[in-house]
Amino acid sequence: MDELRDGKARACLDASAAARARGDLAGAISELNSAVFLRPTDASLYAARAELLLDACDFATALANLAKAVALTERRDLALILRLAHALDARGLTLLDEADYTGAVNAFGEALAAIDAAPEGGPPASGRQTAERAARERERARAVRDAVADADAGAGADADEAARRDAEVGAAKQAFRLHRALAYIGLGRTAAAVHDLHDLADAADASPDARFLLARLLLKSGALADARTHLSQALRADPAHAQAKALSEQMAASAKVRGAARSCARGARRARRRRRDGERAMCRAADGGATHARADVSRSRLVRARSHRCTTRRRRG
């Protein structure tokens, strides 16, 4: 019975692939619905149907199918979790384009929550894989030097794969937080956006976009020195970043204007000072002339008085 159901499910899966190749998304989804009905615990069918639903822009149903696929896996499948997180991020970007900033913030937050649930060291091995690994380790213990060298090479490959997974998860987190910062800016929540961007900029491999956006927000808040620092770091990471270059040129032009304004202000202050000094000098000169005039009047009065007294005495004599 199970073999019959599996056979019918495979036939539906093949029919779905053929319909998709013809561009018939509705027919492809319908065939996958039949396959899922026949094998309701097959996570790969839910994941495949989610991809078709994403192509059809049915985000809500696609996300539900991806979540179901993740829940059905016996081990935490990193690839499925990443696919779910990226689908949530795509949903958030669509809402961002539609100016639904609250919905976008929620979608990006769910994407970050999904990625935080990803296994750090990759999916754990099943019991069968554990037994096979133990057998291989026993064989290596009895093997000669070449087998030991092969084991070391295999360990190096595992380490490389773990590093690749960590890099993929880290890049996804950076992208999701950057997108959420954009949504925060749309909502006018500048402090929340700066918090996310500061966390991104503190990373050694921070993207130039995050540094540029942080510089722009800091510039608007008046933190000119910090804005210059992050903008220079963005241009150092990507000298061809068009928006960062444009902002740098605007800041340089503004600095020239401010310098010219300060120079004009200093010139105006000097002119006012010279005008005040001139007015004071004129006042002093005017005060001095008046004093001399008063002195001349007093002397003329004294001379007339003396002349009058002399004339009176001569008459009396």
Side-chain angles (χ1 to χ4, degrees):
M1 183 65 179
D2 289 340
E3 292 181 359
L4 179 61
R5 293 170 68 88
D6 290 344
K8 289 182 178 179
R10 281 194 295 271
C12 292
L13 195 57
D14 293 339
S16 174
R20 185 175 187 178
R22 294 193 305 270
D24 182 9
L25 277 178
I29 293 171
S30 177
E31 292 293 344
L32 265 180
N33 289 341
S34 300
V36 168
F37 177 77
L38 293 168
R39 293 166 58 180
T41 58
D42 191 336
S44 64
L45 295 179
Y46 289 96
R49 186 166 64 176
E51 295 298 329
L52 292 176
L53 292 166
L54 287 173
D55 289 342
C57 297
D58 187 352
F59 284 103
T61 313
L63 292 172
N65 275 264
L66 282 171
K68 181 69 173 179
V70 171
L72 284 174
T73 52
E74 294 180 359
R75 52 195 176 92
R76 300 168 70 189
D77 192 321
L78 178 62
L80 274 178
I81 291 174
L82 281 173
R83 190 68 190 99
L84 173 61
H86 281 292
L88 287 164
D89 180 62
R91 174 60 174 161
L93 290 173
T94 300
L95 294 172
L96 194 62
D97 289 339
E98 297 172 354
D100 184 358
Y101 301 118
T102 301
V105 166
N106 293 335
F108 296 136
E110 291 174 7
L112 285 166
I115 207 75
D116 286 337
E120 295 182 358
S126 64
R128 178 182 175 184
Q129 290 172 327
T130 303
E132 291 175 352
R133 185 178 297 115
R136 286 196 300 271
E137 289 174 354
R138 286 193 298 270
E139 291 173 1
R140 290 192 190 102
R142 292 190 300 266
V144 290
R145 184 181 304 171
D146 292 340
V148 175
D150 292 340
D152 291 339
D158 291 341
D160 291 341
E161 178 63 20
R164 186 195 64 78
R165 282 196 304 266
D166 291 342
E168 187 176 2
V169 170
K173 284 184 176 181
Q174 285 193 8
F176 300 161
R177 295 199 74 174
L178 178 60
H179 297 161
R180 187 171 66 177
L182 291 171
Y184 280 142
I185 293 172
L187 285 173
R189 296 173 58 183
T190 304
V194 169
H195 179 269
D196 267 357
L197 292 171
H198 261 305
D199 288 346
L200 292 175
D202 289 341
D205 57 345
S207 71
D209 290 334
R211 294 190 187 279
F212 158 73
L213 195 56
L214 178 58
R216 195 176 71 177
L217 292 178
L218 291 173
L219 182 62
K220 287 184 177 180
S221 66
L224 187 58
D226 291 340
R228 284 193 182 122
T229 299
H230 288 291
L231 186 60
S232 64
Q233 290 173 345
L235 287 171
R236 194 178 304 120
D238 182 9
H241 196 290
Q243 292 175 309
K245 288 172 65 177
L247 183 60
S248 178
E249 292 170 358
Q250 290 174 5
M251 291 176 67
S254 298
K256 288 182 180 178
V257 171
R258 285 195 301 272
R262 283 194 295 268
S263 178
C264 290
R266 286 194 296 268
R269 285 195 296 270
R270 285 195 295 268
R272 286 195 298 271
R273 194 179 302 117
R274 286 195 297 268
R275 187 167 57 251
R276 285 196 301 268
D277 293 344
E279 290 173 352
R280 287 170 183 168
M282 291 175 64
C283 289
R284 286 195 297 269
D287 289 343
T291 302
H292 291 311
R294 285 194 296 272
D296 291 341
V297 170
S298 298
R299 281 195 296 270
S300 65
R301 287 177 178 173
L302 180 61
V303 168
R304 285 198 301 272
R306 286 178 179 175
S307 176
H308 177 71
R309 285 196 298 272
C310 291
T311 302
T312 303
R313 286 174 185 169
R314 281 197 300 269
R315 287 177 181 175
R316 287 177 181 174

